[in-house]
Each structure stands twice: as structure tokens, then as C-alpha cells.
Amino acid sequence: MDSAQAKIFAEGFIGNSVGGWAIDGILGNGKSAVVLSGVRDGVEGAVKIFHPELIERYGRAVQLERINRERQLIGKRHPHLVRILEGGECAATGHLFVVMERLPFKNFHQVGSSIPPENYGTLVSQIASAARFLEDLGLAHRDVKPENIAISDDFSRAILLDLGVLLPIGVSNLTDADQRPFIGTLRYSSPEFLDRKEKDTIEGWRAVTFYQMGAVLHDLLMKKPIFADVSEPFTLLVDAVRGTTPNISGGEPRLMFLARRALVKNPEVRLEMLSWSDFEDAAKPENVDAEARKLSILERQKLARANMSTASLADAERRRLFLQRMDQFAQQLDTRLASILAEAAYFPLRRSDIFEAENDSREIMLSFSADEAKGMEFPLALKFVISNLDDNEGTPQYVIRYSDALSSRAIEASELNHQRTIFKGSEEDLYSSSLLQAVLLETLESYYTKIETGSVAGDAIHFLSAEENGI
């Protein structure tokens, strides 16, 4: 639902009632619902009405189940959690809705840069207490982010909002709509939650909540959204969530350390380094006891190891994919050369070998037998050396160097060291040109010229191409 659809949908309720709540204004909208101001029996509420398109997509029973989870919180109060007043299906209109207390506050995302740094610790401890309250009830919030945290005008009180994706922890009979797809906000999701590999246990969801609170704290300290510099395209943001450790600097050291631990990629290490008390004590004065200092040092060292492990794994995966790509390109080039030679039919029998070479390059060695019927009385050897020039944002650029020679004896790949650059560009550039055909024909012509001049003697290697003439 875009903003235009939301406006039309919301305006249709003004002056009418939903579930007995008289609608008198528009408070906002999301992708799936509008939030309207309503009054019933003198009580003011924020009435969230779900768009029929969402209900059609996931099914009415699924959405009613989610509303019923929120209804479980009716009558349960926490000073830093939005109160649920009612929810269900409107008997008169058939619309599905949830009513929350109406809060006259903006959210963290809207006013984050104005929040005094000395309040950060208090606000983080309040959010943690609300998330822990839900955990004690066997529920996971799953979408803790700046937009879902209201803050009072004096910046002293935080209230956790939007309970629409609450999940009962450890309940195996949930609908497929909650079991499989990603539900939450990508930017503020932990890697395991993004990939739906979180453990459906108290500890598993606690690890997700800790990460999301760490991301919120990051935004407060850095005064910008986490991974703001890799928002587009979508794949960059996904890669950042999975493998990039965000920079956190310039804030209160203890809070920076808390955020860094919360944003550790491995959930098990995250839980080993953090507990609820770390968040709940964020506003307390720092303990300067010697033992506490030692513990802090050990925790910092553990964090460094955890981040190094994450970086090492990410680097190892990038290298694996790079080497795989180089192998694939070499194999494809070898296949293309074989096709050209088979079609031309004027080269003798050959043997093809692919080698790994220095600096992660790949070498293709083509060894041709002597063939008197073709006037080729000496063996011929060709070598293509492939190197990566640049990754170029997903369109790799390669450089290919080439060497060709003849001799009265077999030639080893290591002996073909007089090379010239014949190509620089992408795989598409190479195969859309006739470069390879031209190079092979030039070599064969040089071969006959060399023989005809009578300059072949003994078992010396006679190079056919000049060394490094460029392309």
C-alpha cells in the first residue's frame, strides 16, 4: 500500500466507527495498515486498521491470529511498552483492527539527532526492560527499530511500539506465514534472523533482540541509520547485514562497547558476551573497581576475537567465490578455444591443460603435435594467462596475456615467458569479438613464416610473438 492508497483508505473512515471507536483523524500509515485516532467512552486510542490487500495476501485467519497475540497483552502493563486496548473484527464493517493507547510523541527515527547523549543510557535500559517484559511472557517482538520506539518530548521516556509481529516463543504449530518468510526490518535484523536460521527458543530470540537493540544504540551514537552507506542496491544491504561490522565511534565509551557487543554477527558469541543486565544497567555509573576493569578488558578482547572471526569468515567466502569465478572463466575460455579450433580445422591435434599460477591467475596451455600433412614439422605451444583486473561491481574485468612458440621438442608452460597483452575487459567483451580467432590465425601465420625463413635450429624455443606489444 503506497501513500496515495493509504490516504484514500484512511479518509474513508473519518466520521465513522470501527469496533465502536469513533474515528476523528489520521495518525499515520505503514505498508499494511493505517493508524487513525479514535474515541470510545471518553478513552482516546490509536486505531490500526489493516488494508484488505494484506488480509487477502496472507489470509484472514493468519491476520486474526496475529491480532489475538496482541490481545493477550490487554490488561498487562509496562511503563515502556505501548498498551493494547482492544482488537479483533469489526462486526459492522468486517475490518480487522487493533487499538493501542494514543501517544502524542514522535519516534526515535524522527528526533534521534536531537536526543541528548546523556539520555542514551536511560532510554536503552527502558527499551530493554520492555523487551524483557515480553520475553517473560513468552513473546518475541521481532522488530525493534527506531521507528518503533516513541520518545517523550523531554527525551526522558521511551515506549516500545508496534506489536504486530509478536511471536510466541517455542510454539511449533504456527501458520506457514510466520514460519518461513522473513518478517521484520532488514536493516535492523541480525544475520541469523535475516536467513531464518534463528533458534526458536528463549535464548535464540533473545539474541535477535539484543542485536536489534544494538542497532538502535548504533543509530543514537552515530546519528545515522546503521549501514546507511550501503542502502542500495538491496543486495549490498543484505551483504552488510551478513558480514560487515559497523563502525561505532565518538560516543560514550561504555555505550559504544555495549553496541559493538550487541552487533556481533554470531548469535552464540553475542549471548556469551551480553545479558539483559548489560542493557538495563546502561544508565548506571561505570564501576571503577579493579576487578571490573579486568573483566571489561577481557570482554573487549573477546569482542576483538569475535569480530576478527566474522571478518575472517567473510574474507574466506569472498576468496572462495573469487577463485571459483577464475576457474569458471578459465574453463569457459578453454571451451571457446576448442570450439574455434574445431571449426577452423587447420590446426593439428592438441592437448589442453589448465594450471593455477601466481597471484591467483590461471593459465591455459595448448600443445600441438607436429603434423607433416599440414606442413607443421615442429610442435607448437600456446599459453593464455588470465588475471583479474577489477571486480567492477559484479561485472569482472580481466586481462589476458599470450605467448606462442615452436621447438623441435616439447615445450613446458614455464618456458613460455615472453608474453604480450591481448585483451582487457569483461567476459562479454571477449566473446562478442573475433579477437581469439584473429590471435590464433596470426600465430599460425607466424609459425609458417618462421619455418620458411629457415631460422629454426636445434632444440631451442623460438617465440612467434613479440613480447608485450600491448593490445
Side-chain angles (χ1 to χ4, degrees):
M1 177 173 62
D2 58 29
S3 57
Q5 289 176 308
K7 186 174 185 293
I8 295 171
F9 184 54
E11 288 176 346
F13 293 102
I14 304 299
N16 297 311
S17 293
V18 174
W21 292 83
I23 306 301
D24 58 12
I26 301 173
L27 298 177
N29 70 273
K31 293 180 180 179
S32 61
V34 293
V35 183
L36 312 173
S37 59
V39 180
R40 189 178 72 178
D41 300 332
V43 178
E44 295 183 342
V47 185
K48 182 176 183 179
I49 304 175
F50 297 94
H51 195 277
E53 185 179 282
L54 172 85
I55 297 167
E56 182 180 339
R57 184 184 309 161
Y58 293 110
R60 197 172 191 83
V62 170
Q63 193 56 46
L64 276 170
E65 173 60 27
R66 290 178 179 167
I67 291 172
N68 287 332
R69 294 176 201 166
E70 294 190 67
R71 283 174 51 85
Q72 294 175 29
L73 294 173
I74 295 176
K76 295 181 173 63
R77 296 196 176 198
H78 186 279
H80 302 292
L81 184 68
V82 65
R83 285 191 295 123
I84 302 298
L85 305 179
E86 193 184 350
E89 180 177 358
C90 175
T93 67
H95 285 293
L96 303 186
F97 70 98
V98 172
V99 185
M100 303 155 282
E101 64 174 315
R102 191 190 305 180
L103 297 168
F105 305 138
K106 294 182 178 179
N107 63 49
F108 268 32
H109 179 71
Q110 294 169 316
V111 301
S113 59
S114 302
I115 300 173
E118 58 268 24
N119 290 22
Y120 293 170
T122 297
L123 297 173
V124 167
S125 68
Q126 293 173 356
I127 301 164
S129 67
R132 187 173 190 177
F133 176 76
L134 290 174
E135 183 186 281
D136 290 342
L137 294 173
L139 300 169
H141 187 283
R142 297 200 291 177
D143 201 18
V144 179
K145 61 181 181 180
E147 291 89 338
N148 287 343
I149 302 169
I151 185 166
S152 61
D153 293 337
D154 63 357
F155 305 119
S156 66
R157 181 184 173 215
I159 304 99
L160 186 58
L161 309 173
D162 199 344
L163 306 175
V165 292
L166 277 178
L167 182 75
I169 298 171
V171 178
S172 60
N173 62 346
L174 295 180
T175 62
D176 284 347
D178 277 330
Q179 286 290 334
R180 287 198 296 267
F182 169 71
I183 295 177
T185 303
L186 170 60
R187 186 179 305 278
Y188 295 93
S189 294
S190 62
E192 75 275 9
F193 187 32
L194 168 63
D195 294 329
R196 295 314 314 264
K197 293 179 180 179
E198 76 283 347
K199 294 181 179 179
D200 188 21
T201 62
I202 291 288
E203 293 76 15
W205 287 110
R206 183 183 299 163
V208 172
T209 300
F210 283 179
Y211 185 98
Q212 292 180 337
M213 291 196 299
V216 170
L217 181 52
H218 164 281
D219 288 9
L220 287 173
L221 292 166
M222 300 300 292
K223 298 188 182 301
K224 66 176 182 179
I226 191 169
F227 304 128
D229 55 341
V230 288
S231 296
E232 298 292 341
F234 175 79
T235 52
L236 288 182
L237 182 55
V238 170
D239 289 344
V241 169
R242 286 175 174 157
T244 301
T245 299
N247 175 58
I248 302 175
S249 60
E252 200 277 310
R254 194 157 61 107
L255 292 180
M256 290 193 297
F257 183 42
L258 175 59
R260 288 172 186 145
R261 285 179 289 165
L263 292 171
V264 165
K265 301 298 184 183
N266 186 318
E268 294 179 359
V269 176
R270 198 182 310 143
L271 288 177
E272 186 180 342
M273 300 183 70
L274 287 171
S275 66
W276 281 116
S277 63
D278 290 296
F279 290 98
E280 294 167 348
D281 295 346
K284 292 182 179 179
E286 188 170 6
N287 191 340
V288 295
D289 175 76
E291 287 302 316
R293 288 185 183 279
K294 291 179 183 178
L295 179 60
S296 177
I297 290 171
L298 291 174
E299 288 176 341
R300 281 172 164 80
Q301 292 174 348
K302 185 184 295 184
L303 174 62
R305 289 192 296 272
N307 286 336
M308 184 174 66
S309 174
T310 298
S312 296
L313 288 173
D315 288 344
E317 178 62 9
R318 281 192 290 270
R319 178 163 175 74
R320 184 189 70 80
L321 292 173
F322 167 75
L323 294 176
Q324 182 183 70
R325 173 167 61 79
M326 291 296 292
D327 287 337
Q328 289 173 345
F329 183 71
Q331 290 162 4
Q332 288 165 357
L333 177 55
D334 184 52
T335 300
R336 179 58 65 93
L337 290 168
S339 175
I340 294 171
L341 292 169
E343 183 178 346
Y346 35 67
F347 277 85
L349 294 174
R350 73 185 184 281
R351 190 185 75 199
S352 173
D353 296 288
I354 300 176
F355 305 99
E356 295 180 3
E358 60 182 8
N359 299 322
D360 295 326
S361 61
R362 297 293 184 269
E363 296 180 350
I364 300 176
M365 179 76 171
L366 300 181
S367 302
F368 296 89
S369 305
D371 188 337
E372 292 185 6
K374 295 183 184 296
M376 300 179 67
E377 55 185 293
F378 300 104
L380 170 66
L382 318 179
K383 184 168 78 171
F384 297 81
V385 182
I386 308 159
S387 301
N388 185 69
L389 194 61
D390 185 72
D391 289 339
N392 193 36
E393 299 295 336
T395 306
Q397 304 293 301
Y398 300 94
V399 57
I400 300 177
R401 293 180 176 83
Y402 178 70
S403 182
D404 49 3
L406 63 85
S407 179
S408 60
R409 61 176 176 81
I411 301 173
E412 299 295 329
S414 59
E415 295 178 295
L416 290 177
N417 49 17
H418 289 206
Q419 298 170 5
R420 63 184 177 106
T421 301
I422 60 169
F423 175 77
K424 289 180 182 178
S426 70
E427 185 174 349
E428 182 180 357
D429 295 332
L430 176 64
Y431 296 144
S432 62
S433 74
S434 58
L435 173 72
L436 295 175
Q437 292 93 325
V439 167
L440 291 171
L441 287 173
E442 180 186 349
T443 288
L444 197 54
E445 187 174 28
S446 297
Y447 178 98
Y448 286 119
T449 299
K450 179 73 71 172
I451 293 175
E452 289 164 1
T453 58
S455 56
V456 180
D459 61 358
I461 296 176
H462 300 272
F463 290 95
L464 303 176
S465 300
E467 185 175 3
E468 196 55 67
N469 286 330
I471 59 174

